[in-house]
Amino acid sequence: MTYPTKLLTPFAVLAVLAVPAFAQDAAIDINGDGMYSFPEVQAVAPEVTEDAFTGLDTSGDGLLDADEIAAGVAAGVLPG
């Protein structure tokens, strides 16, 4: 292992750990696009309402990306 790789490895591990478990679950992302639609979220978290989902969708594209999911987990709207 080279010196730069040794330095970057801890940061890579921390970056992976910083992503919520909800965001890492490939079973939720049914179509594999890296984003979660409302039906995908509802399949695993039926308590999430469409209004809550829309509130998390800050980009307005109808999908939740990693940042929106992290915000939802932090706010307690999505399970961690």
Side-chain angles (χ1 to χ4, degrees):
M1 193 179 287
T2 64
Y3 182 71
T5 304
K6 286 182 182 179
L7 285 176
L8 293 177
T9 300
F11 294 110
V13 170
L14 287 176
V16 168
L17 293 176
V19 176
F22 188 83
Q24 296 174 342
D25 192 346
I28 298 170
D29 185 14
I30 296 167
N31 63 359
D33 66 354
M35 313 252 303
Y36 295 163
S37 65
F38 179 64
E40 289 172 327
V41 171
Q42 272 245 299
V44 295
E47 69 277 4
V48 177
T49 65
E50 193 165 1
D51 287 340
F53 182 90
T54 301
L56 293 174
D57 181 19
T58 56
S59 64
D61 62 358
L63 300 168
L64 298 183
D65 62 25
D67 291 336
E68 293 165 333
I69 292 166
V73 171
V77 177
L78 297 174

